[in-house]
Amino acid sequence: HKFHADPDLRSIYEGRLKWQMDQATALAVAKDEGLAEGKAEGKAEGKAEGKAEGKAEGKAEGKAEGKAEGKAEGKAEAARNLRQLGVSLDIIAKATGLSQDELAKI
């Protein structure tokens, strides 16, 4: 073949082949770097969103629990005050919604 015998043509061919391989390698490296950056950003965003959602849920649950505890404490306090005034346990139970067992613990 003339191609193999001509050193100039062979040099041009090898130079072109090297350029193509360099381009393919550069593209692969850029793709890997982009993928890594995107993955890191996505993970950070997901973590931030999850943290915000968890915080909001925790706050809502804490608020609901606080309300429930406050309501229960209010009923208990009302029951104690009514007992000190000599009101019967049946009436206190009806007024507060507390059971006889709950009133006995107060």
Side-chain angles (χ1 to χ4, degrees):
H1 290 87
K2 267 183 149 182
F3 175 73
H4 295 291
D6 187 342
D8 291 335
L9 285 178
R10 183 152 183 84
S11 178
I12 292 169
Y13 169 75
E14 288 175 355
R16 174 77 175 154
L17 197 57
K18 183 184 179 318
W19 179 82
Q20 287 175 332
M21 287 191 289
D22 288 347
Q23 291 299 311
T25 301
L27 182 62
V29 169
K31 180 180 176 186
D32 289 345
E33 289 174 354
L35 182 63
E37 286 178 25
K39 194 173 185 180
E41 287 176 13
K43 187 175 181 179
E45 288 175 12
K47 190 174 180 179
E49 288 175 14
K51 188 175 181 179
E53 288 176 11
K55 189 174 181 179
E57 286 179 23
K59 189 174 182 179
E61 287 177 15
K63 192 173 183 179
E65 288 176 12
K67 277 185 171 182
E69 289 175 12
K71 191 173 183 180
E73 288 174 12
K75 285 183 178 185
E77 185 178 345
R80 277 192 293 277
N81 291 338
L82 290 171
R83 274 183 100 177
Q84 287 177 355
L85 294 173
V87 177
S88 74
L89 291 179
D90 288 336
I91 293 174
I92 296 173
K94 288 177 186 175
T96 62
L98 296 174
S99 68
Q100 294 287 337
D101 290 337
E102 290 170 315
L103 289 174
K105 294 176 186 176
I106 296 175

